[in-house]
Amino acid sequence: MYDLSVVTDRLVQLMTDALQASPIWGGGPPSFSVGITSQSPEQTQLNADTDLNVFLFHLGEDTYQKNAFWSAAGQAGPLPPLQYQPACYDLFYLVSARSQSSHVNEQQVLGVALKALHDNAIVALSASPPFRTGPSEVTVTMEHPTWDELCRLWQGLSTPMRATAVYRVSVVFLTPEQPPADAPEVLSMTVTASPAQDVSDLAPGASALPELIGTSRVVTYNSPSGPASYVMTPATLSPALGGAGPVADVRASGFAPGDLLFLEELGPDGTALSETDITGSWTVPIAPPYTSVPVGGEDVRIQAPANLGSPPLCPPPGYYQIRAGSPSEPAWRSSAVPLGIAPWISPAGGPLLSATPAGMYSCQVNNVPVTGAQVRLGTVALSHKASGLLSPGQWSLTGTTLKFKAPSTLPPGHHALRLRVNGVEADPALWAVVP
């Protein structure tokens, strides 16, 4: 539940239904007008003979439930953080009535209301529109405050005292934050028993076949506080504009000069759809070069080529895999290692990116498709607009120029520009300065 007014509306509905069918008036509504309100008792219903007031005047944590989730029996491992647990509250209502013409009308209405709450000690809250509530139940119990407590309460309301009853509604659970989604199920696994190979099945004269172990790279960038870096495994690559893009290391065993590398595109179920020989177009020399081939073979370095030509040399963003091959065994492929292809944000002019007087931010990007891209400032998502003037919280792409406006609700500060396509995110490069 996000909306406490759901509980108040339900109590008002119970009393309204009871007033429309009470035996006092022969199973029908009262002969005089009744106005039911949930506002403060100071707000009277001037157009009705009798006011019935259901006022939420206090709420507090339910002491019996607030620690229940932390002390759950049989809980194994660390418990979830507090923001992922429901907040438990008791709501306290002041139920009062006042008639402008007769004490009989006043007390009849109040009696019907008390009978309705007595008959519905457990109240069901049915599902309501989004962000209000899901199906749940609460209990309704009459409280017994002291005379002194009631006097202080009515003095605080600055209105003449009425016939009053106090009810506690519990336990109301406010909806917690949603925890991160579970990791997707594993679709496939590759098991390598040992780098050593049984060469008995190789063709005559063929050497040991190469195997790939994994991909990694060191991501370096300038942050608002200075140079920073981290190691990314598996690696992602992206094609830069007007210069060399990042370089990734492919750890290998038995990889010798002349061996081949293949990039495989994956389908939705993780199976390989096609492969492309990237030996010549993606591999870059290792610096400094080996003076001789190391025992066990050499590692490989790869770099995504510029997104030029027809079709483009670099595939669109997404997750791919790499396999090794050998000229001596054309049909053979090694086990696969993952590689991500990411969009690219130019760090030119950064790391701080300022807006124009009109609030427009602009930067250069590459390898971003027409649809499917996500742009965020920190954790706040921006919406895409294909054409026309941008409003706060929107972004557009023309060629390689990305433009956006910060949401009007974004607090002042430095907010990281994040660009993601098909689940693969660009390297950090720019921070939007929000005044």
Side-chain angles (χ1 to χ4, degrees):
M1 176 186 297
Y2 291 89
D3 191 349
L4 292 177
S5 68
V6 172
V7 180
T8 305
D9 292 344
R10 186 70 179 95
L11 297 181
V12 169
Q13 186 62 49
L14 288 175
M15 299 179 189
T16 301
D17 294 343
L19 287 170
Q20 295 299 314
S22 175
I24 296 179
W25 304 291
S31 57
F32 50 91
S33 60
V34 178
I36 302 180
T37 175
S38 299
Q39 298 287 88
S40 167
E42 297 172 325
Q43 305 294 326
T44 59
Q45 296 287 334
L46 297 180
N47 59 343
D49 173 83
T50 303
D51 299 333
L52 177 60
N53 187 266
V54 186
F55 176 50
L56 174 61
F57 72 95
H58 178 69
L59 66 161
E61 282 189 311
D62 187 279
T63 56
Y64 302 100
Q65 294 290 334
K66 64 180 295 186
N67 294 324
F69 301 96
W70 288 93
S71 58
Q75 176 73 49
L79 290 161
L82 195 60
Q83 65 266 32
Y84 298 133
Q85 301 181 25
C88 312
Y89 291 98
D90 293 336
L91 310 184
F92 294 86
Y93 286 88
L94 198 67
V95 180
S96 62
R98 187 185 69 170
S99 173
Q100 301 183 59
S101 61
S102 169
H103 73 280
V104 174
N105 295 351
E106 177 180 297
Q107 293 174 19
Q108 284 179 340
V109 168
L110 186 59
V112 171
L114 300 186
K115 179 71 163 55
L117 296 179
H118 176 271
D119 293 345
N120 294 274
I122 298 178
V123 176
L125 304 177
S126 58
S128 296
F131 303 113
R132 296 203 72 194
T133 182
S136 61
E137 290 183 343
V138 294
T139 61
V140 181
T141 309
M142 178 179 281
E143 291 289 288
H144 303 282
T146 65
W147 174 251
D148 185 58
E149 290 172 337
L150 277 178
C151 286
R152 290 200 305 268
L153 176 60
W154 280 103
Q155 287 173 355
L157 292 172
S158 301
T159 188
M161 183 178 290
R162 308 176 184 178
T164 305
V166 177
Y167 281 86
R168 179 182 65 189
V169 178
S170 62
V171 175
V172 177
F173 296 103
L174 295 187
T175 305
E177 291 186 22
Q178 295 300 313
D182 294 336
E185 295 184 3
V186 176
L187 300 178
S188 63
M189 294 187 298
T190 300
V191 179
T192 301
S194 171
Q197 296 178 351
D198 182 2
V199 298
S200 60
D201 294 332
L202 298 181
S207 60
L209 298 175
E211 283 291 345
L212 303 184
I213 300 172
T215 62
S216 65
R217 73 178 179 94
V218 178
V219 180
T220 58
Y221 60 96
N222 288 324
S223 71
S225 57
S229 65
Y230 60 91
V231 177
M232 177 186 291
T233 303
T236 66
L237 292 176
S238 54
L241 285 173
V247 176
D249 292 316
V250 182
R251 295 299 309 274
S253 172
F255 197 92
D259 287 335
L260 307 174
L261 280 182
F262 296 92
L263 181 72
E264 291 185 342
E265 179 184 358
L266 302 178
D269 59 351
T271 59
L273 299 179
S274 62
E275 68 173 21
T276 303
D277 188 342
I278 61 172
T279 309
S281 56
W282 288 57
T283 54
V284 294
I286 293 179
Y290 296 119
T291 55
S292 61
V293 178
V295 176
E298 60 184 14
D299 293 336
V300 189
R301 284 188 176 174
I302 57 175
Q303 181 182 55
N307 222 22
L308 303 174
S310 180
L313 298 178
C314 184
Y319 286 102
Y320 298 79
Q321 60 189 22
I322 298 177
R323 296 182 187 270
S326 174
S328 62
E329 295 286 333
W332 178 86
R333 297 291 182 267
S334 72
S335 56
V337 295
L339 177 73
I341 303 298
W344 179 80
I345 303 174
S346 172
L352 297 181
L353 183 64
S354 299
T356 65
M360 184 73 72
Y361 297 84
S362 178
C363 64
Q364 296 297 305
V365 297
N366 194 26
N367 206 30
V368 181
V370 177
T371 59
Q374 300 175 3
V375 177
R376 295 176 181 265
L377 288 181
T379 59
V380 179
L382 309 184
S383 59
H384 177 245
K385 188 172 185 180
S387 60
L389 298 178
L390 297 182
S391 300
Q394 294 182 330
W395 67 274
S396 65
L397 181 66
T398 304
T400 59
T401 301
L402 175 69
K403 294 183 177 181
F404 62 91
K405 286 188 175 182
S408 56
T409 57
L410 204 62
H414 300 160
H415 300 268
L417 173 61
R418 299 173 57 190
L419 176 59
R420 179 182 297 182
V421 181
N422 295 333
V424 186
E425 189 159 325
D427 291 352
L430 299 174
W431 279 256
V433 180
V434 177

